Coordinates of all heavy atoms in Angstrom, one line a residue:
M1 N -7.7 25.0 -3.4 CA -8.1 23.6 -3.4 C -9.2 23.4 -4.5 O -10.2 24.0 -4.4 CB -8.7 23.2 -2.0 CG -7.7 23.1 -0.9 SD -6.5 21.7 -1.3 CE -5.8 21.5 0.3
S2 N -8.9 22.6 -5.4 CA -9.9 22.2 -6.4 C -10.8 21.1 -5.9 O -10.3 20.3 -5.1 CB -9.3 21.9 -7.7 OG -8.5 20.7 -7.6
D3 N -12.0 21.0 -6.3 CA -12.9 20.0 -5.8 C -13.5 19.3 -7.0 O -14.7 19.3 -7.2 CB -13.9 20.6 -4.9 CG -14.7 19.5 -4.1 OD1 -14.2 18.3 -4.1 OD2 -15.8 19.7 -3.7
Q4 N -12.7 18.8 -7.9 CA -13.2 18.2 -9.1 C -13.7 16.8 -8.9 O -13.0 16.1 -8.2 CB -12.2 18.3 -10.2 CG -11.7 19.7 -10.5 CD -10.6 19.8 -11.5 OE1 -10.1 18.8 -11.9 NE2 -10.2 21.0 -11.9
P5 N -14.8 16.5 -9.5 CA -15.4 15.1 -9.2 C -14.9 14.0 -10.1 O -15.4 12.9 -10.1 CB -16.9 15.4 -9.5 CG -16.9 16.4 -10.7 CD -15.6 17.3 -10.3
H6 N -13.8 14.3 -10.9 CA -13.4 13.2 -11.8 C -12.6 12.1 -11.2 O -12.3 11.1 -11.9 CB -12.6 13.9 -13.0 CG -11.3 14.4 -12.5 ND1 -11.1 15.7 -12.0 CD2 -10.0 13.9 -12.5 CE1 -9.8 15.9 -11.6 NE2 -9.1 14.8 -12.0
C7 N -12.2 12.3 -10.0 CA -11.3 11.2 -9.4 C -11.8 10.9 -8.0 O -11.1 11.2 -7.0 CB -9.9 11.7 -9.4 SG -8.7 10.4 -9.1
P8 N -12.9 10.2 -7.8 CA -13.5 9.9 -6.5 C -12.6 8.9 -5.7 O -12.6 8.9 -4.5 CB -14.9 9.4 -6.8 CG -14.8 8.9 -8.2 CD -13.8 9.8 -8.9
G9 N -11.9 8.1 -6.5 CA -11.1 7.1 -5.8 C -10.0 7.7 -5.0 O -9.6 7.3 -3.9
F10 N -9.4 8.8 -5.5 CA -8.4 9.5 -4.8 C -8.9 10.1 -3.5 O -8.2 10.1 -2.5 CB -7.8 10.6 -5.7 CG -6.6 11.3 -5.1 CD1 -5.4 10.8 -5.1 CD2 -6.8 12.6 -4.5 CE1 -4.3 11.5 -4.5 CE2 -5.8 13.3 -3.9 CZ -4.5 12.7 -4.0
E11 N -10.1 10.6 -3.6 CA -10.7 11.2 -2.4 C -10.8 10.1 -1.3 O -10.6 10.4 -0.1 CB -12.0 11.8 -2.7 CG -11.9 13.1 -3.5 CD -11.2 14.2 -2.8 OE1 -11.5 14.4 -1.6 OE2 -10.3 14.9 -3.5
A12 N -11.2 8.9 -1.7 CA -11.4 7.8 -0.7 C -10.2 7.4 -0.1 O -10.1 7.0 1.1 CB -12.1 6.6 -1.5
N13 N -9.0 7.5 -0.8 CA -7.8 7.1 -0.3 C -7.2 8.1 0.8 O -6.3 7.7 1.5 CB -6.7 7.0 -1.4 CG -7.0 5.7 -2.2 OD1 -7.6 4.8 -1.8 ND2 -6.4 5.7 -3.4
K14 N -7.8 9.2 0.9 CA -7.3 10.2 1.8 C -7.4 9.7 3.3 O -6.7 10.2 4.2 CB -8.0 11.6 1.7 CG -7.4 12.3 0.5 CD -8.0 13.7 0.4 CE -7.4 14.6 -0.7 NZ -8.0 15.9 -0.7
S15 N -8.4 8.9 3.5 CA -8.7 8.4 4.9 C -7.7 7.2 5.3 O -7.7 6.8 6.4 CB -10.1 8.0 5.1 OG -10.4 6.9 4.2
L16 N -6.9 6.8 4.3 CA -6.1 5.6 4.6 C -4.7 6.1 4.9 O -4.2 7.1 4.4 CB -6.0 4.7 3.3 CG -7.4 4.1 2.9 CD1 -7.2 3.4 1.6 CD2 -7.9 3.2 3.9
S17 N -4.0 5.3 5.7 CA -2.6 5.6 6.0 C -1.7 4.7 5.1 O -2.2 3.6 4.7 CB -2.3 5.4 7.5 OG -2.6 4.1 7.8
E18 N -0.5 5.0 5.0 CA 0.4 4.2 4.2 C 1.3 3.4 5.2 O 1.7 3.9 6.2 CB 1.3 5.0 3.3 CG 0.6 5.6 2.2 CD 1.5 6.4 1.3 OE1 2.7 6.7 1.7 OE2 1.1 6.8 0.2
V19 N 1.5 2.1 4.9 CA 2.3 1.3 5.7 C 3.4 0.6 4.8 O 3.2 0.5 3.6 CB 1.6 0.2 6.4 CG1 0.6 0.8 7.4 CG2 0.8 -0.7 5.4
K20 N 4.5 0.3 5.4 CA 5.6 -0.4 4.6 C 5.5 -1.9 4.8 O 5.3 -2.3 6.0 CB 6.9 0.2 5.0 CG 7.2 1.6 4.5 CD 8.7 2.0 4.8 CE 9.0 3.4 4.2 NZ 10.4 3.8 4.5
V21 N 5.7 -2.6 3.8 CA 5.8 -4.0 3.9 C 7.0 -4.5 3.1 O 7.5 -3.8 2.3 CB 4.5 -4.7 3.2 CG1 3.3 -4.4 4.0 CG2 4.4 -4.4 1.7
K22 N 7.5 -5.6 3.6 CA 8.8 -6.1 2.9 C 8.5 -7.4 2.3 O 7.9 -8.3 2.8 CB 9.9 -6.2 4.0 CG 11.2 -6.7 3.5 CD 12.3 -6.8 4.5 CE 12.9 -5.4 4.8 NZ 14.0 -5.5 5.7
C23 N 9.0 -7.6 1.1 CA 8.8 -8.8 0.3 C 9.7 -9.9 1.0 O 10.8 -9.7 1.3 CB 9.3 -8.6 -1.1 SG 9.4 -10.1 -2.1
P24 N 9.0 -11.0 1.3 CA 9.7 -12.1 2.0 C 10.7 -12.8 1.1 O 11.6 -13.5 1.5 CB 8.6 -13.1 2.4 CG 7.5 -12.8 1.3 CD 7.6 -11.4 1.0
A25 N 10.6 -12.6 -0.2 CA 11.5 -13.3 -1.1 C 12.8 -12.5 -1.4 O 13.9 -13.0 -1.3 CB 10.8 -13.6 -2.5
C26 N 12.6 -11.2 -1.7 CA 13.7 -10.4 -2.1 C 14.1 -9.2 -1.1 O 15.1 -8.6 -1.2 CB 13.6 -9.8 -3.5 SG 12.4 -8.5 -3.7
G27 N 13.1 -9.0 -0.2 CA 13.4 -8.0 0.8 C 13.1 -6.6 0.4 O 13.3 -5.6 1.1
L28 N 12.5 -6.4 -0.8 CA 12.1 -5.1 -1.2 C 11.0 -4.5 -0.3 O 10.0 -5.1 0.0 CB 11.5 -5.2 -2.7 CG 11.0 -3.8 -3.2 CD1 12.2 -2.9 -3.6 CD2 10.1 -4.0 -4.4
E29 N 11.2 -3.2 0.1 CA 10.2 -2.5 0.9 C 9.3 -1.8 0.0 O 9.7 -1.1 -0.9 CB 10.9 -1.5 1.9 CG 11.5 -2.3 3.0 CD 11.9 -1.3 4.1 OE1 12.0 0.0 3.8 OE2 12.1 -1.7 5.3
M30 N 8.0 -2.0 0.2 CA 7.0 -1.3 -0.6 C 6.0 -0.5 0.3 O 5.7 -1.0 1.4 CB 6.2 -2.3 -1.5 CG 7.1 -2.9 -2.6 SD 6.2 -4.1 -3.5 CE 6.0 -5.4 -2.3
E31 N 5.5 0.6 -0.1 CA 4.4 1.2 0.6 C 3.1 0.8 0.1 O 2.8 0.9 -1.1 CB 4.6 2.8 0.5 CG 5.8 3.2 1.4 CD 5.8 4.8 1.5 OE1 5.1 5.4 0.7 OE2 6.6 5.2 2.3
I32 N 2.2 0.4 1.0 CA 0.8 0.1 0.6 C -0.1 0.9 1.4 O 0.3 1.4 2.5 CB 0.5 -1.4 0.7 CG1 0.6 -1.8 2.2 CG2 1.5 -2.2 -0.1 CD1 0.1 -3.3 2.4
F33 N -1.4 0.9 1.0 CA -2.4 1.6 1.9 C -2.8 0.6 3.0 O -2.8 -0.6 2.7 CB -3.6 2.0 1.0 CG -3.2 3.2 0.2 CD1 -3.2 3.1 -1.2 CD2 -3.0 4.4 0.8 CE1 -2.9 4.1 -2.0 CE2 -2.7 5.5 0.0 CZ -2.6 5.4 -1.4
S34 N -3.3 1.1 4.1 CA -3.6 0.3 5.2 C -4.7 -0.7 5.0 O -4.8 -1.7 5.6 CB -3.9 1.2 6.4 OG -5.0 2.0 6.1
D35 N -5.6 -0.4 4.0 CA -6.7 -1.3 3.7 C -6.2 -2.5 2.9 O -7.0 -3.5 2.6 CB -7.8 -0.6 3.0 CG -7.5 -0.3 1.6 OD1 -6.3 -0.2 1.2 OD2 -8.5 -0.1 0.8
E36 N -4.9 -2.5 2.6 CA -4.4 -3.7 1.8 C -3.7 -4.7 2.7 O -3.3 -5.8 2.3 CB -3.4 -3.2 0.8 CG -4.1 -2.5 -0.4 CD -3.1 -2.0 -1.4 OE1 -2.3 -1.1 -1.1 OE2 -3.0 -2.6 -2.5
I37 N -3.7 -4.4 4.0 CA -3.1 -5.3 5.0 C -3.9 -6.6 5.0 O -5.2 -6.5 5.2 CB -3.0 -4.7 6.4 CG1 -1.9 -3.5 6.3 CG2 -2.5 -5.7 7.4 CD1 -1.9 -2.7 7.6
G38 N -3.3 -7.7 5.0 CA -4.0 -9.0 5.0 C -4.4 -9.5 3.6 O -4.8 -10.6 3.5
K39 N -4.2 -8.6 2.6 CA -4.5 -9.0 1.3 C -3.3 -9.6 0.6 O -2.2 -9.3 1.1 CB -5.1 -7.9 0.5 CG -6.5 -7.4 1.0 CD -6.9 -6.2 0.1 CE -8.3 -5.7 0.5 NZ -8.8 -4.6 -0.3
T40 N -3.5 -10.3 -0.5 CA -2.3 -10.8 -1.2 C -1.9 -9.7 -2.2 O -2.6 -9.3 -3.0 CB -2.6 -12.1 -1.9 OG1 -3.0 -13.1 -1.0 CG2 -1.4 -12.6 -2.7
I41 N -0.6 -9.3 -2.1 CA -0.1 -8.3 -3.0 C 1.1 -9.0 -3.7 O 1.6 -10.0 -3.4 CB 0.4 -7.1 -2.3 CG1 1.5 -7.4 -1.3 CG2 -0.8 -6.4 -1.6 CD1 2.1 -6.1 -0.6
K42 N 1.6 -8.3 -4.8 CA 2.6 -8.8 -5.6 C 3.8 -7.9 -5.6 O 3.7 -6.7 -5.7 CB 2.1 -8.9 -7.0 CG 3.0 -9.8 -8.0 CD 2.2 -10.0 -9.3 CE 3.0 -10.9 -10.2 NZ 2.3 -11.2 -11.5
C43 N 4.9 -8.5 -5.3 CA 6.2 -7.7 -5.3 C 6.5 -7.1 -6.6 O 6.4 -7.8 -7.7 CB 7.4 -8.6 -4.8 SG 8.9 -7.8 -4.9
A44 N 6.8 -5.8 -6.6 CA 7.1 -5.1 -7.8 C 8.5 -5.5 -8.4 O 8.7 -5.3 -9.6 CB 7.1 -3.6 -7.6
A45 N 9.3 -6.1 -7.6 CA 10.7 -6.4 -8.1 C 10.8 -7.8 -8.6 O 11.2 -8.0 -9.7 CB 11.7 -6.1 -7.0
C46 N 10.3 -8.8 -7.8 CA 10.5 -10.2 -8.2 C 9.2 -10.9 -8.6 O 9.3 -12.0 -9.1 CB 11.2 -10.9 -7.0 SG 10.2 -11.2 -5.6
G47 N 8.1 -10.2 -8.3 CA 6.8 -10.8 -8.8 C 6.2 -11.8 -7.9 O 5.2 -12.4 -8.2
V48 N 6.8 -12.1 -6.7 CA 6.3 -13.0 -5.7 C 5.0 -12.4 -5.1 O 4.9 -11.3 -4.8 CB 7.3 -13.3 -4.7 CG1 6.7 -14.0 -3.5 CG2 8.4 -14.2 -5.2
S49 N 4.0 -13.3 -5.0 CA 2.8 -12.9 -4.3 C 2.9 -13.3 -2.8 O 3.3 -14.4 -2.5 CB 1.5 -13.5 -4.9 OG 1.4 -13.1 -6.3
F50 N 2.5 -12.4 -1.9 CA 2.6 -12.7 -0.5 C 1.5 -11.8 0.2 O 0.9 -10.9 -0.3 CB 4.0 -12.4 0.1 CG 4.4 -10.9 0.0 CD1 4.2 -10.1 1.0 CD2 4.9 -10.4 -1.2 CE1 4.6 -8.7 0.9 CE2 5.3 -9.1 -1.3 CZ 5.2 -8.2 -0.2
E51 N 1.2 -12.3 1.5 CA 0.2 -11.6 2.2 C 0.8 -10.3 2.9 O 1.9 -10.4 3.6 CB -0.3 -12.5 3.3 CG -1.5 -11.9 4.1 CD -2.1 -12.9 5.1 OE1 -2.4 -14.0 4.7 OE2 -2.2 -12.5 6.3
A52 N 0.2 -9.2 2.7 CA 0.7 -8.0 3.2 C 0.6 -7.9 4.7 O -0.5 -8.1 5.2 CB 0.0 -6.8 2.5
A53 N 1.6 -7.6 5.4 CA 1.6 -7.5 6.8 C 2.5 -6.3 7.1 O 3.5 -6.0 6.4 CB 2.1 -8.7 7.5
P54 N 2.2 -5.5 8.1 CA 3.0 -4.3 8.4 C 4.4 -4.7 8.7 O 4.6 -5.7 9.4 CB 2.3 -3.7 9.6 CG 0.9 -4.2 9.6 CD 1.0 -5.6 8.9
N55 N 5.4 -3.9 8.3 CA 6.7 -4.2 8.6 C 7.0 -4.1 10.0 O 6.7 -3.1 10.7 CB 7.6 -3.2 7.8 CG 9.0 -3.7 7.6 OD1 9.4 -4.8 8.0 ND2 9.9 -2.8 7.1
Q56 N 7.6 -5.1 10.6 CA 7.9 -5.1 12.0 C 9.2 -4.3 12.3 O 10.3 -4.8 12.0 CB 8.0 -6.5 12.5 CG 6.8 -7.4 12.4 CD 5.6 -6.9 13.2 OE1 5.9 -6.5 14.3 NE2 4.4 -7.1 12.8
V57 N 9.0 -3.2 12.8 CA 10.2 -2.3 13.1 C 10.5 -2.4 14.6 O 9.7 -2.1 15.5 CB 9.9 -0.9 12.7 CG1 11.1 0.0 13.1 CG2 9.5 -0.8 11.2
T58 N 11.7 -2.8 14.9 CA 12.1 -2.9 16.3 C 13.1 -1.9 16.7 O 13.8 -1.3 15.9 CB 12.8 -4.3 16.5 OG1 13.9 -4.5 15.6 CG2 11.8 -5.4 16.3
Ligands
ZN101 ZN1 10.3 -9.4 -4.1

């Protein structure tokens, strides 16, 4: 295990979990970090901005 200080942001992300969200416009599933839930994100495929909410899996 290296403990290099050049990338503190990566270390901070270790406490976050990944969640899947689906674009309401094109249906693309994307993985985001849990701290992005409730924020406005942009679909990588169609460019639509939407509020990130956890994918409802039934
Ligand atoms: Zn989309």
